[in-house]
């Protein structure tokens, strides 16, 4: 009997302990239900942004920064990088001050000071060449709208989704035939990487296009007097002028042409010609002038949507470099999604395998981005543009034209 009573007592004790534990577990469960666990947010993805927001190239650089911020917001509002738990893009902007030395130090600083998945910048070829050298050594992918063909030589981490300088040259030469069956062209160009590479492409391709270059003249970027240069153009007998120039130089050239009474068809190429500040500075003198661009805000339905948002926010259309930068941001987002990693090497490999033909990443002439072994988009080509009623319209080639060319 004694043993039986002992066993009964032990069973009752174990039951009391079980009920206490069960009640405690219920309390814990209730507490957890009342205060749900907060999952740790995914770490942001750092993207370096190298642009000149001060100095001689500040007008374009600031527009690029505005577009980059808009693009990051678009990606983040759409859920971020889903393969990384919805990680948001974190844009780290650096002002390279329109200076090659600063560009080198700032690229180094970003790479060494932050855990970057990739970099975009700088739009100006002279600056981008420096930034890409630093990025190549650090093995960090860089994607850029710069047009210099040198960026596709001996590079492994540099990606250029838009038209190259040599392609710009061919488009300009072909557009000159819209003015004359046998055009005689004067070429003037600023003496940095952008001007020299583009102008050399013009000279090399002119014979095959049936265009005679009657003048080929470099000038020092940032000059104060365009008179002597334009007088040479006037004396050359040219019926078309190609000016490979950034904004401030081009403004001075256009005004000088008007002052000396020179009647000549002008193709301002890319650079400063295709940004709103050009029209703001020269007004109706811009009407009918032609140029080439690697991107224009009427090139696709997606481009028009982004342009409407940008224009509402900043009061002007989304110009070439800035619009291309929105597309580049979506290319990076696509690569990050597929890489499912912020490791620069893996992001680089994902960019190298990129092949998109729809959406914001593909909004550009050609409508498709696929990089070749040299980092160049094999489908890229420029679009011919013309100033019409204060806006920049795509007019060439036929497949990319959104408005007819207005002959002046």
């Amino acid at each position: 009997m004694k043993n039986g009573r002992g066993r009964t007592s032990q069973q009752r004790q174990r039951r009391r302990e079980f009920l206490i534990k069960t009640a405690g577990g219920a309390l814990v469960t209730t507490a957890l239900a009342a205060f749900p666990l907060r999952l740790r947010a995914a770490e942001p993805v750092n993207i370096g942004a190298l642009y000149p927001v001060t100095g001689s190239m500040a007008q374009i650089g600031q527009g690029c920064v505005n577009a980059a911020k808009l693009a990051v917001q678009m990606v983040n509002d759409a859920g971020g990088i889903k393969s990384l738990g919805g990680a948001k893009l974190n844009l780290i902007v650096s002002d390279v001050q329109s200076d090659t030395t600063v560009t080198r130090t700032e690229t180094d600083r970003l790479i060494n000071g932050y855990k970057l998945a990739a970099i975009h910048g700088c739009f100006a070829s002279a600056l981008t060449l420096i930034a890409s050298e630093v990025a190549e050594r650090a093995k960090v992918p860089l994607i850029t709208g710069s047009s210099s063909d040198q960026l596709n030589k001996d590079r492994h981490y540099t990606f250029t989704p838009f038209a190259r300088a040599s392609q710009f040259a061919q488009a300009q030469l072909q557009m000159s035939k819209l003015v004359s069956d046998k055009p005689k062209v004067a070429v003037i160009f600023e003496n940095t990487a952008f001007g020299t590479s583009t102008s050399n492409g013009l000279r090399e391709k002119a014979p095959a296009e049936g265009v005679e270059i009657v003048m080929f003249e470099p000038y020092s970027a940032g000059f104060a007097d365009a008179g002597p240069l334009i007088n040479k153009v006037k004396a050359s007998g040219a019926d078309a002028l190609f000016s490979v120039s950034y904004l401030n130089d081009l403004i001075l050239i256009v005004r000088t042409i008007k002052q000396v009474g020179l009647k000549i068809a002008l193709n301002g190429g890319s650079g400063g010609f295709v940004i709103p500040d050009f029209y703001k500075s020269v007004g109706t003198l811009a009407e009918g002038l032609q140029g080439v661009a690697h991107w224009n805000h009427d090139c696709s339905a997606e481009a028009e949507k982004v342009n409407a948002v940008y224009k509402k926010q900043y009061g002007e259309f989304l110009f070439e470099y800035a619009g291309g930068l929105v597309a580049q941001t979506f290319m990076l987002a696509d690569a990050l999604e597929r890489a499912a990693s912020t490791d620069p090497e893996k992001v680089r490999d994902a960019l190298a395998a990129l092949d998109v033909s729809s959406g914001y990443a593909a909004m550009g002439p050609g409508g498709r981005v696929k990089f070749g072994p040299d980092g160049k988009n094999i489908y890229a080509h420029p679009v011919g543009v013309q100033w019409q009623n204060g806006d920049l319209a795509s007019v060439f080639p036929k497949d990319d034209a959104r408005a007819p060319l207005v002959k002046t």
Side-chain angles (χ1 to χ4, degrees), residues 217-236:
E217 189 81 13
Y219 69 87
S220 296
F223 61 177
D225 182 8
L229 187 63
I230 298 306
N231 284 330
K232 286 185 179 180
V233 173
K234 194 172 184 178
S236 71

Side-chain angles (χ1 to χ4, degrees), residues 12-334:
R12 288 174 179 171
Q13 179 65 29
R14 285 196 294 269
R15 179 173 175 77
R16 280 196 297 268
E17 291 173 355
F18 172 78
L19 289 172
I20 291 169
K21 289 179 180 178
T22 303
L27 290 172
V28 171
T29 302
T30 303
L32 287 174
F35 302 99
L37 290 175
R38 291 187 178 182
L39 297 176
R40 185 179 178 183
E43 290 188 7
V45 181
N46 290 339
I47 303 296
L50 297 161
Y51 292 98
V53 295
T54 56
S56 61
M57 303 173 187
Q59 297 100 326
I60 298 178
Q62 185 58 61
C64 286
V65 171
N66 293 341
K69 290 178 178 178
L70 173 60
V72 164
Q73 180 184 339
M74 291 171 66
V75 172
N76 290 343
D77 287 350
I81 308 303
K82 298 174 181 62
S83 66
L84 293 174
K88 306 299 184 184
L89 299 186
N90 180 38
L91 191 70
I92 302 173
V93 179
S94 174
D95 177 15
V96 297
Q97 301 175 29
S98 308
D99 183 275
T100 54
T101 300
V102 175
T103 299
R104 187 179 300 280
T105 58
E106 282 301 291
T107 308
D108 266 324
R109 185 183 68 83
L110 283 191
I111 291 173
N112 294 322
Y114 300 89
K115 183 183 176 183
L116 299 180
I119 299 172
H120 57 63
C122 304
F123 93 75
S125 295
L127 305 181
T128 310
L129 285 166
I130 297 296
S132 68
E133 289 174 5
V134 178
E136 287 282 330
R137 286 197 299 271
K139 297 184 177 180
V140 174
L142 181 146
I143 187 167
T144 179
S146 297
S147 60
S148 173
D149 289 87
Q150 296 175 55
L151 287 163
N152 301 108
K153 296 178 181 178
D154 302 319
R155 296 289 200 275
H156 189 64
Y157 292 82
T158 303
F159 296 89
T160 57
F162 302 111
R164 317 314 305 133
S166 54
Q167 293 175 291
F168 278 71
Q170 188 166 21
Q172 281 184 274
L173 291 165
Q174 291 171 347
M175 289 181 75
S176 70
K177 295 179 184 177
L178 301 175
V179 178
S180 171
D181 292 336
K182 295 182 178 180
K184 294 182 178 181
V185 175
V187 178
I188 57 177
F189 57 97
E190 52 89 34
N191 58 356
T192 71
F194 164 64
T196 54
S197 60
T198 302
S199 58
N200 284 334
L202 286 167
R203 183 161 57 179
E204 291 168 6
K205 294 178 179 294
E209 294 294 336
V211 176
E212 181 184 0
I213 293 182
V214 296
M215 176 182 169
F216 192 80
E217 189 81 13
Y219 69 87
S220 296
F223 61 177
D225 182 8
L229 187 63
I230 298 306
N231 284 330
K232 286 185 179 180
V233 173
K234 194 172 184 178
S236 71
D239 53 26
L241 170 63
F242 294 167
S243 179
V244 188
S245 313
Y246 284 119
L247 178 63
N248 292 334
D249 293 348
L250 191 59
I251 290 170
L252 186 58
I253 288 166
V254 170
R255 287 175 175 168
T256 304
I257 288 173
K258 175 66 173 179
Q259 289 168 1
V260 302
L262 177 60
K263 302 294 183 181
I264 194 168
L266 172 64
N267 190 311
S270 182
F273 178 81
V274 296
I275 69 173
D277 277 353
F278 174 70
Y279 197 95
K280 290 177 187 177
S281 298
V282 302
T284 56
L285 291 179
E287 289 295 327
L289 300 186
Q290 301 172 32
V292 290
H294 69 237
W295 191 94
N296 199 36
H297 58 277
D298 62 1
C299 66
S300 72
E302 289 82 5
E304 290 176 345
K305 288 178 185 178
V306 179
N307 179 58
V309 175
Y310 185 91
K311 193 171 184 178
K312 183 177 180 180
Q313 189 166 350
Y314 296 105
E316 58 190 28
F317 67 76
L318 189 60
F319 62 90
E320 176 190 33
Y321 296 111
L325 183 50
V326 175
Q328 288 167 216
T329 302
F330 278 87
M331 293 173 208
L332 283 175
D334 182 286

